[in-house]
Amino acid sequence: MKITIKETQNPTILKFEFPDFITQNESFEYKNIDEAKNSPLAQQLFYLPFVKTVYISSNFIAIERYNIVEWDDVKEAVAEQIDDFVTKGGVIVISDVKISKKQPITVYGETTPNPATLKFVVSKLLTKNALECKNIDDTVTSPLAKELFGFPFVKEIFIDENYISITKYEVATWESITLEIRTFIKQYIENGGIAVDESVAVANPKIEKQQIKNFDNLDTTSQQIINILEEYVKPAVAADGGNILFDSYDEKEKRVKVVLQGSCNGCPSSTFTLKNGIENMLKDMLNDDAIIVEALNA
């Protein structure tokens, strides 16, 4: 096998090209021998003290060197080592081995109407189903929430889509803990940590109720209320790091009961929002001025 040595625009990186393709529409980058678990060749190359990074793609292997050597002094020996490895039947890449690779993400904090709650927005989907954890016993399906409760100032946690709303105890100020929490979440997610394990089924009456599985069996007014909450109210409260759930509707009293989660729970302005926002909206859209909205946990 004839391996061709080619320079790149980066003087520390050299390409070793093969006459045929060595990967199947895949590219790999290894920063150290541990990352190269699916490439016996890359692992062998890391025994060379000057090898910093190994790239494998289509028909070439590119190697980035440390400055302790110059390529002119070692490139022929490296090409010979690669050629010898392949000639003897060595495997370049084991394609079916899944490598856990660090995925860079961004995490930033957003204030909410609730001064005790901060919303941490993550640049990836965390869950498809909202999860509220009042304490560590509620974290059966959320390894991340369980870890966050290890911080003594964390009181409650709400996770939905791409954000985590954290409610703190008064003992700490956001100025003193925001960076610590943000850094922890970022490193946890980047290292492959699971926010919510949705494969774990938990028999929880509250969760079952949130899913409104009996929607078709509800009365017409209850269905209309749920649709209004889903379409008009939930997007607004989610933007503030919260959530609202339909609980029940009493036709005689015209009373709508809801559950507030995340930043909405315990928020000083939640009563105003319920009465002047949601209640007025339901009165107007259902054409019924007798409707009353009440939060079970306000």
Side-chain angles (χ1 to χ4, degrees), residues 26-32 35-36 38 42 46 52-57 62 64 99 101:
E26 295 177 294
S27 296
F28 304 89
E29 177 182 342
Y30 309 109
K31 293 290 186 181
N32 53 60
E35 289 187 1
N38 70 329
F46 275 113
K52 182 179 181 181
T53 309
V54 176
Y55 308 89
I56 300 178
S57 181
E64 181 182 10
I99 300 299
K101 196 171 182 181

Side-chain angles (χ1 to χ4, degrees), residues 224-236 281 285:
Q224 290 175 323
I225 292 170
I226 291 172
N227 289 333
I228 292 171
L229 293 178
E230 290 288 332
E231 184 173 356
Y232 298 100
V233 181
K234 276 196 175 185
M281 179 185 294
M285 298 186 76

Side-chain angles (χ1 to χ4, degrees), residues 202-240:
V202 179
N204 187 322
K206 185 171 68 174
I207 293 176
E208 289 295 316
K209 195 165 192 176
Q210 290 172 15
Q211 295 175 351
I212 314 291
K213 289 186 177 179
N214 62 334
F215 179 86
D216 292 336
N217 297 324
L218 295 174
D219 60 273
T220 302
T221 304
S222 293
Q223 292 181 345
Q224 290 175 323
I225 292 170
I226 291 172
N227 289 333
I228 292 171
L229 293 178
E230 290 288 332
E231 184 173 356
Y232 298 100
V233 181
K234 276 196 175 185
V237 297
D240 287 332

Side-chain angles (χ1 to χ4, degrees), residues 259-278:
V259 177
L260 301 177
Q261 293 181 317
S263 62
C264 296
N265 183 22
C267 178
S269 62
S270 62
T271 301
F272 178 85
T273 301
L274 283 172
K275 295 300 178 182
N276 294 277
I278 301 170

Side-chain angles (χ1 to χ4, degrees), residues 91-297:
V91 177
I92 298 176
V93 174
I94 305 172
S95 298
D96 60 348
V97 175
K98 301 293 183 182
I99 300 299
S100 176
K101 196 171 182 181
K102 191 171 181 179
Q103 298 293 328
I105 64 164
T106 58
V107 179
Y108 63 90
E110 285 186 354
T111 57
T112 73
N114 188 344
T117 303
L118 202 64
K119 177 183 178 182
F120 293 87
V121 183
V122 183
S123 60
K124 68 171 291 185
L125 181 68
L126 300 177
T127 180
K128 295 178 182 177
N129 299 300
L131 176 68
E132 181 181 44
C133 301
K134 293 286 191 180
N135 52 57
I136 198 167
D137 289 339
D138 293 337
T139 63
V140 177
T141 60
S142 178
L144 173 57
K146 185 176 182 179
E147 293 293 330
L148 287 170
F149 273 115
F151 292 99
F153 43 74
V154 172
K155 183 180 180 181
E156 296 178 11
I157 298 168
F158 177 74
I159 305 176
D160 194 10
E161 296 186 342
N162 70 325
Y163 70 87
I164 304 154
S165 288
I166 295 179
T167 302
K168 68 173 182 64
Y169 286 104
E170 294 181 1
V171 67
T173 63
W174 283 121
E175 289 78 9
S176 64
I177 64 175
T178 298
L179 179 60
E180 183 179 5
I181 295 177
R182 189 189 72 81
T183 301
F184 176 82
I185 294 173
K186 176 177 169 63
Q187 293 178 347
Y188 180 91
I189 301 297
E190 281 185 339
N191 289 319
I194 298 173
V196 177
D197 187 352
E198 293 172 298
S199 67
V200 179
V202 179
N204 187 322
K206 185 171 68 174
I207 293 176
E208 289 295 316
K209 195 165 192 176
Q210 290 172 15
Q211 295 175 351
I212 314 291
K213 289 186 177 179
N214 62 334
F215 179 86
D216 292 336
N217 297 324
L218 295 174
D219 60 273
T220 302
T221 304
S222 293
Q223 292 181 345
Q224 290 175 323
I225 292 170
I226 291 172
N227 289 333
I228 292 171
L229 293 178
E230 290 288 332
E231 184 173 356
Y232 298 100
V233 181
K234 276 196 175 185
V237 297
D240 287 332
N243 191 30
I244 185 169
L245 301 171
F246 172 81
D247 181 85
S248 61
Y249 170 66
D250 188 311
E251 191 172 359
K252 291 181 179 180
E253 296 183 0
K254 299 296 182 76
R255 187 181 303 275
V256 179
K257 293 184 179 180
V258 297
V259 177
L260 301 177
Q261 293 181 317
S263 62
C264 296
N265 183 22
C267 178
S269 62
S270 62
T271 301
F272 178 85
T273 301
L274 283 172
K275 295 300 178 182
N276 294 277
I278 301 170
E279 188 174 288
N280 286 342
M281 179 185 294
L282 291 177
K283 286 179 178 179
D284 180 60
M285 298 186 76
L286 297 176
N287 195 26
D288 189 342
D289 290 335
I291 285 180
I292 300 171
V293 177
E294 168 186 306
L296 296 179
N297 57 340

Side-chain angles (χ1 to χ4, degrees), residues 8-76:
T8 68
Q9 293 182 341
N10 186 335
T12 65
I13 298 177
L14 209 60
K15 288 175 69 174
F16 299 85
E17 290 190 352
F18 290 75
D20 301 307
F21 286 100
I22 57 176
T23 67
Q24 298 179 344
N25 300 317
E26 295 177 294
S27 296
F28 304 89
E29 177 182 342
Y30 309 109
K31 293 290 186 181
N32 53 60
I33 196 169
D34 286 338
E35 289 187 1
K37 291 178 180 178
N38 70 329
S39 176
L41 174 55
Q43 286 189 318
Q44 179 172 308
L45 290 171
F46 275 113
Y47 282 101
L48 299 172
F50 54 83
V51 172
K52 182 179 181 181
T53 309
V54 176
Y55 308 89
I56 300 178
S57 181
S58 58
N59 69 327
F60 70 86
I61 295 173
I63 300 176
E64 181 182 10
R65 64 169 172 80
Y66 286 106
N67 292 326
I68 57 173
V69 298
E70 296 295 333
W71 273 124
D72 286 342
D73 298 328
V74 298
K75 62 183 182 182
E76 296 295 341

